[in-house]
Structure formats: C-alpha cells, structure tokens
Amino acid sequence: QVQLVESGGGLVQAGGSLRLSCAVSGRTLSNYAMGWFRQAPGREREFVASISWSGAITSSADSVKGRFTISRDNAKNTGYLRMNSVKPEDTAAYYCAADLGRYYIAPRRADEYDYWGQGTQVTVSS
C-alpha cells in the first residue's frame, strides 16, 4: 500500500506564498508520476499541476501558470507545490496523488491516479 500525506497548508494573505509538501511512503512498486489537485466548496475537483518521475515533464493549469511551481525530490520521497502570488480563488483543499507505473508522463486527469492524500487546506484572505 502507498500512503501520501500533504502538509504546509494554512491561512495566507493574498499575494503571499506557501509551499505544500507531499510525503510518499509504502510500497510504490514502480516509478510514479505525482499530481496536485484542489477542490473548493461548491466546485469540482480540478487539476493544478503534475510532474513526471524524472521531473523532466511538468504540467500546470492555466489558472496557476507563472505562479505555482511543482517539483519533487525522489531521494526524500517528497513532492512540492510552491504557491506564489496567491489569490482568494486559490482557496481550496489541496490533494496530492500518485500515478504508479509512470516514468515519462505527467497526467492531468484525476482518474489517472492510483493513490491520494487526505488533503491540506489552503485559505487565502483578501
């Protein structure tokens, strides 16, 4: 079984920054892509960013391009989402996910992912 635990969420003022972390443990069995998704009240879960196992491929939603940066440190089994210039509309529960068996791909679809974390709340005040 694979476990993912997000951390780093909290309350931040508009224009500020946060870094979310995703610690992965358990038996991954193979390489995996990592994705970040978010869900705000009354909205569907939406794609935020993703990264391939090697880190060579990244993808991000248009709404966060230029503001959010995804990265990973496989030696630490940890992924990151750096959030800069946050906006009130970034307020949501943020989830990381792992897509096992992926080496050179960074999926954008939630249904591609095999394991999910519990989420961490990010609230941006105006």
Side-chain angles (χ1 to χ4, degrees), residues 45-46 52 69 90:
R45 181 168 50 185
E46 65 176 342
S52 66
T69 302
D90 294 322

Side-chain angles (χ1 to χ4, degrees), residues 29-69:
L29 300 177
S30 62
N31 304 324
Y32 60 93
M34 179 177 288
W36 286 92
F37 296 79
R38 66 187 182 187
Q39 187 166 20
R43 299 187 63 184
E44 298 293 324
R45 181 168 50 185
E46 65 176 342
F47 169 76
V48 176
S50 59
I51 186 168
S52 66
W53 170 255
S54 68
I57 300 173
T58 61
S59 183
S60 61
D62 290 343
S63 60
V64 306
K65 276 188 169 65
R67 300 189 298 119
F68 293 7
T69 302

Side-chain angles (χ1 to χ4, degrees), residues 20-35:
L20 307 184
S21 297
C22 177
V24 180
S25 62
R27 192 174 183 183
T28 58
L29 300 177
S30 62
N31 304 324
Y32 60 93
M34 179 177 288

